[in-house]
Coordinates of all heavy atoms in Angstrom, one line a residue:
G772 N 104.1 99.3 -10.8 CA 103.9 98.0 -11.4 C 104.3 98.0 -12.9 O 104.0 97.0 -13.6
V773 N 105.0 99.1 -13.3 CA 105.5 99.2 -14.7 C 106.7 98.3 -14.9 O 106.9 97.7 -16.0 CB 105.7 100.6 -15.1 CG1 106.5 100.8 -16.4 CG2 104.4 101.4 -15.2
L774 N 107.5 98.2 -13.9 CA 108.7 97.3 -13.9 C 108.2 95.9 -13.7 O 107.8 95.5 -12.7 CB 109.7 97.7 -12.8 CG 111.0 96.9 -12.7 CD1 111.8 97.0 -14.0 CD2 111.7 97.3 -11.5
R775 N 108.3 95.1 -14.8 CA 107.7 93.8 -14.8 C 108.8 92.7 -14.5 O 108.5 91.7 -13.9 CB 107.0 93.5 -16.1 CG 105.8 94.4 -16.3 CD 104.8 94.4 -15.2 NE 104.3 93.1 -14.9 CZ 103.8 92.8 -13.7 NH1 103.8 93.6 -12.7 NH2 103.4 91.6 -13.4
D776 N 110.0 92.9 -15.1 CA 111.0 91.8 -14.9 C 112.4 92.4 -15.1 O 112.6 93.3 -15.9 CB 110.7 90.7 -15.9 CG 111.6 89.5 -15.7 OD1 111.8 89.1 -14.5 OD2 112.1 88.9 -16.7
V777 N 113.3 91.8 -14.4 CA 114.7 92.1 -14.6 C 115.4 90.8 -14.6 O 115.4 90.0 -13.7 CB 115.2 93.0 -13.4 CG1 116.7 93.2 -13.5 CG2 114.5 94.3 -13.3
S778 N 116.1 90.5 -15.7 CA 116.8 89.2 -15.9 C 118.2 89.5 -16.5 O 118.4 90.6 -17.0 CB 116.0 88.3 -16.8 OG 115.8 88.9 -18.1
V779 N 119.1 88.6 -16.3 CA 120.5 88.7 -16.8 C 120.7 87.7 -17.9 O 120.4 86.5 -17.6 CB 121.5 88.6 -15.6 CG1 122.9 88.7 -16.2 CG2 121.2 89.6 -14.6
H780 N 121.3 88.1 -19.0 CA 121.6 87.2 -20.1 C 123.1 87.5 -20.4 O 123.4 88.6 -21.0 CB 120.7 87.4 -21.3 CG 119.3 87.2 -21.0 ND1 118.7 86.0 -20.9 CD2 118.3 88.2 -20.7 CE1 117.4 86.2 -20.5 NE2 117.2 87.5 -20.4
D781 N 124.0 86.6 -20.1 CA 125.4 86.8 -20.2 C 125.8 88.0 -19.3 O 125.6 87.9 -18.1 CB 125.9 87.0 -21.7 CG 125.6 85.8 -22.5 OD1 125.9 84.7 -22.0 OD2 125.2 85.9 -23.7
D782 N 126.2 89.1 -19.9 CA 126.6 90.3 -19.0 C 125.6 91.5 -19.3 O 125.9 92.6 -19.0 CB 128.0 90.7 -19.3 CG 128.3 91.2 -20.7 OD1 127.4 90.9 -21.6 OD2 129.3 91.8 -20.9
V783 N 124.5 91.2 -19.9 CA 123.5 92.2 -20.2 C 122.2 92.0 -19.3 O 121.7 90.9 -19.2 CB 123.1 92.2 -21.7 CG1 122.0 93.2 -22.0 CG2 124.3 92.4 -22.5
V784 N 121.8 93.1 -18.7 CA 120.6 93.1 -17.9 C 119.4 93.5 -18.8 O 119.4 94.5 -19.5 CB 120.6 94.1 -16.7 CG1 119.3 94.2 -16.0 CG2 121.7 93.6 -15.7
E785 N 118.4 92.6 -18.9 CA 117.2 92.9 -19.7 C 116.1 93.3 -18.7 O 115.8 92.6 -17.8 CB 116.8 91.7 -20.5 CG 115.6 91.9 -21.4 CD 115.3 90.8 -22.3 OE1 115.9 90.6 -23.3 OE2 114.3 90.0 -21.9
V786 N 115.6 94.5 -19.0 CA 114.5 95.1 -18.2 C 113.2 95.1 -19.0 O 113.2 95.7 -20.1 CB 114.9 96.5 -17.7 CG1 113.8 97.1 -16.9 CG2 116.2 96.5 -16.9
T787 N 112.2 94.5 -18.5 CA 110.9 94.5 -19.1 C 110.0 95.5 -18.4 O 109.8 95.4 -17.2 CB 110.3 93.1 -19.1 OG1 111.2 92.2 -19.8 CG2 108.9 93.1 -19.9
I788 N 109.4 96.4 -19.2 CA 108.5 97.4 -18.7 C 107.2 97.3 -19.4 O 107.1 96.9 -20.6 CB 109.0 98.8 -18.7 CG1 109.5 99.2 -20.1 CG2 110.1 99.0 -17.7 CD1 110.0 100.6 -20.3
T789 N 106.0 97.5 -18.7 CA 104.7 97.5 -19.3 C 104.1 98.8 -19.2 O 104.0 99.3 -18.0 CB 103.9 96.4 -18.6 OG1 104.5 95.1 -18.9 CG2 102.5 96.3 -19.2
P790 N 103.6 99.4 -20.3 CA 102.9 100.7 -20.2 C 101.6 100.6 -19.4 O 100.9 99.6 -19.4 CB 102.7 101.1 -21.6 CG 102.7 99.9 -22.4 CD 103.6 98.9 -21.6
T791 N 101.3 101.7 -18.7 CA 100.0 101.7 -18.0 C 98.8 101.7 -19.0 O 97.7 101.3 -18.7 CB 99.9 103.0 -17.1 OG1 100.1 104.2 -17.9 CG2 100.9 102.9 -16.0
Y792 N 99.0 102.2 -20.2 CA 98.1 102.0 -21.3 C 98.8 102.2 -22.6 O 99.9 102.8 -22.7 CB 96.9 103.1 -21.2 CG 97.3 104.5 -21.4 CD1 97.2 105.1 -22.7 CD2 97.9 105.2 -20.4 CE1 97.6 106.4 -22.9 CE2 98.3 106.6 -20.6 CZ 98.1 107.1 -21.9 OH 98.5 108.4 -22.1
S793 N 98.2 101.7 -23.7 CA 98.8 101.7 -25.0 C 99.0 103.2 -25.4 O 98.1 104.0 -25.3 CB 97.9 101.0 -26.0 OG 98.5 101.0 -27.3
G794 N 100.3 103.5 -25.8 CA 100.6 104.8 -26.2 C 101.0 105.8 -25.1 O 101.1 107.0 -25.3
C795 N 101.2 105.3 -23.9 CA 101.6 106.1 -22.8 C 102.8 106.9 -23.1 O 103.9 106.3 -23.4 CB 101.8 105.3 -21.5 SG 102.4 106.2 -20.1
P796 N 102.8 108.3 -23.1 CA 103.9 109.1 -23.5 C 105.1 109.0 -22.5 O 106.2 109.3 -22.9 CB 103.4 110.5 -23.6 CG 102.2 110.5 -22.7 CD 101.6 109.1 -22.7

């Protein structure tokens, strides 16, 4: 569930990830 979103802007893929907790190494 860390992979939150994958979107395309022009020719660049933007990947949004969310840490399981703040400061996750």
Side-chain angles (χ1 to χ4, degrees):
V773 166
L774 178 62
R775 298 307 303 154
D776 189 41
V777 177
S778 56
V779 177
H780 304 279
D781 297 319
D782 63 342
V783 177
V784 171
E785 184 173 278
V786 178
T787 303
I788 53 177
T789 298
T791 55
Y792 69 95
S793 181
C795 175

